[in-house]
Amino acid sequence: MRLLHTSDWHLGRAFHRVNMLGAQAEFIGHLVTTVREHEVDAVVVSGDVYDRAVPPLAAVELFDDALHRLAALGVPTVMISGNHDSARRLGVGAGLIGRAGIHLRTDPSACGTPVVLADAFGDVAFYGLPYLEPALVKDEFGVEKAGHESVLAAAMDRVRADLAARPPGTRSVVLAHAFVTGGEASDSERDITVGGVAAVPAGVFDGADYVALGHLHGSQTITERVRYSGSPLAYSFSETDHRKTMWLVDLGADGAIGAERLDCPVPRPLARIRGTLEELLADPGLARHEDAWVEATLTDPVRPADPMARLAERFPHALSLVFAPERAPDDPDVSYAGRLAGRSDQEIAQDFVAHVRGAGPDERERAVLRDAFDAVRADDAAREVAR
């Protein structure tokens, strides 16, 4: 069976001030063409279809167009909700849409109920594990501690139990939206850390023939059977070096995997450049970036006048300007944003405690801070579900 694995469309998202809806529509067209030209048997979409729980109307219309075009091909599609999606909103009409061959899996309680497709060698069971917010699903899965590994392990126990009851030789594909150990993150994914832990081991998915992951935006291979497709478009300059692709996966009669990366359309290349303003304007080696979306980091000791306007004369698609004069980290003039760069909310809070009272929090106090941040994030997730 030939599968096309994609994820993290983030319909409705912009890239800095650029509306990406046109590029997203181009990707959907490319997806449909790829399915037809490569004779794909099933499409799997591993979450973050939308960029937010209540997407703009134009994004909903593009999703509707995608569903109609995929259904018209007569190729089954299995799709799960991600941490950016409202599972309840995305799942509205799932039963009816399923009759057209588009199978939306957004209900955590249905993790062990697969979509079963068949090829010449027998059945392939597709298990959709939507994003599992630990605090919201721990009771459903009967786990004592709300953590990503515990709820995913419980969901996979249901998968394995169902698979064991099926005819021998039934192959399995699992769709999941999670941060798996060994994956490389970028700046454009929303933090899903719980209890100080964001990642789960790949071993959680043992027993599945192929695991189609979503959440991380870079295409990557965790193991031969566990892969991220990555997002089809770049959504931050941290993705400048990404090659945006989908996985074309051939699932053999015995469960063997063959996988090939298929490139996605690139609306415009990305470039990160660094130096003083005069250097960036004069360097002939930067000519290749003049048509790119550019993030420029200026190292001038004093902020120059009208830097973005002057950069735009050479780089008309410059979108981001970072001012980073080369100073020692303890220089009092280092910006607040510079001091916080790369630090988690937990680390910032711990630093604040140390600053106020002269000593950092002990382990018990760090646990209190972790619990507080987890509670706020879980409350935010609950509010999104209720919207």
Side-chain angles (χ1 to χ4, degrees):
M1 183 171 287
R2 173 163 286 183
L3 318 175
L4 187 64
H5 168 198
T6 177
S7 73
D8 295 274
W9 295 355
H10 288 278
L11 301 181
R13 186 166 185 162
F15 183 73
H16 291 265
R17 62 178 181 270
V18 177
N19 186 321
M20 295 294 283
L21 206 64
Q24 291 169 340
E26 184 180 358
F27 162 70
I28 295 299
H30 172 72
L31 171 71
V32 171
T33 299
T34 300
V35 171
R36 183 174 57 249
E37 292 183 350
H38 287 268
E39 299 182 339
V40 170
D41 298 307
V43 177
V44 294
V45 186
S46 300
D48 282 353
V49 175
Y50 291 121
D51 189 56
R52 56 182 186 264
V54 184
L57 179 59
V60 177
E61 289 173 340
L62 179 55
F63 179 58
D64 181 65
D65 177 63
L67 294 185
H68 278 85
R69 295 173 73 178
L70 287 168
L73 292 174
V75 175
T77 297
V78 185
M79 186 177 297
I80 62 172
S81 50
N83 62 301
H84 280 250
D85 299 309
S86 166
R88 290 174 63 183
R89 287 178 181 272
L90 188 63
V92 168
L96 185 61
I97 295 171
R99 298 179 187 177
I102 308 293
H103 305 279
L104 300 174
R105 289 295 185 263
T106 64
D107 183 358
S109 67
C111 285
T113 304
V115 176
V116 180
L117 305 176
D119 63 10
F121 304 104
D123 288 346
V124 180
F126 290 76
Y127 296 91
L129 278 56
Y131 173 67
L132 302 175
E133 176 60 47
L136 302 183
V137 301
K138 68 182 183 69
D139 292 337
E140 165 65 33
F141 291 107
V143 298
E144 294 183 5
K145 186 177 180 181
H148 289 294
E149 183 174 354
S150 60
V151 296
L152 271 170
M156 281 302 301
D157 284 343
R158 294 187 184 184
V159 168
R160 284 185 282 264
D162 180 86
L163 191 59
R166 295 190 174 274
T170 299
R171 290 156 291 162
S172 60
V173 175
V174 171
L175 290 74
H177 197 86
F179 190 165
V180 175
T181 302
E184 183 176 343
S186 63
D187 292 343
S188 53
E189 299 110 2
R190 183 181 295 171
D191 181 29
I192 60 170
T193 301
V194 174
V197 179
V200 300
V204 164
F205 300 104
D206 284 353
D209 289 306
Y210 183 71
V211 181
L213 293 175
H215 180 58
L216 299 184
H217 288 182
S219 178
Q220 44 203 303
T221 301
I222 305 302
T223 72
E224 179 189 10
R225 298 186 181 277
V226 181
R227 300 171 188 260
Y228 283 99
S229 67
S231 61
L233 296 165
Y235 292 113
S236 73
F237 278 102
S238 65
E239 300 169 57
T240 297
D241 294 329
H242 285 190
R243 175 188 164 200
K244 296 300 184 181
T245 59
M246 301 178 285
W247 283 111
L248 186 68
V249 178
D250 287 314
L251 181 61
D254 58 354
I257 294 294
E260 176 188 359
R261 291 175 69 184
L262 302 180
D263 291 302
C264 295
V266 178
R268 190 176 297 278
L270 307 184
R272 277 178 151 171
I273 59 178
R274 182 184 181 93
T276 66
L277 180 58
E278 295 303 326
E279 288 171 346
L280 298 184
L281 294 177
D283 186 352
L286 299 180
R288 66 188 187 279
H289 299 315
E290 290 175 358
D291 194 44
W293 281 323
V294 168
E295 178 185 75
T297 298
L298 299 185
T299 59
D300 300 75
V302 177
R303 186 185 297 268
D306 299 322
M308 183 57 91
R310 294 174 65 189
L311 274 171
E313 293 177 2
R314 183 180 188 189
F315 306 101
H317 305 288
L319 296 180
S320 177
L321 185 63
V322 180
F323 187 57
E326 295 178 347
R327 296 171 175 149
D330 57 353
D331 189 315
D333 289 330
V334 172
S335 72
Y336 179 70
R339 294 196 301 272
L340 298 188
R343 301 184 68 75
S344 67
D345 291 342
Q346 173 91 13
E347 291 169 330
I348 293 168
Q350 290 174 184
D351 287 350
F352 176 76
V353 172
H355 173 74
V356 169
R357 73 179 187 191
D362 58 25
E363 180 52 41
R364 182 187 65 81
E365 292 168 326
R366 288 196 294 272
V368 169
L369 287 170
R370 279 196 301 270
D371 290 345
F373 283 118
D374 289 348
V376 169
R377 201 174 55 78
D379 183 64
D380 286 345
R383 288 174 185 273
E384 286 198 359
V385 168
R387 292 174 72 180

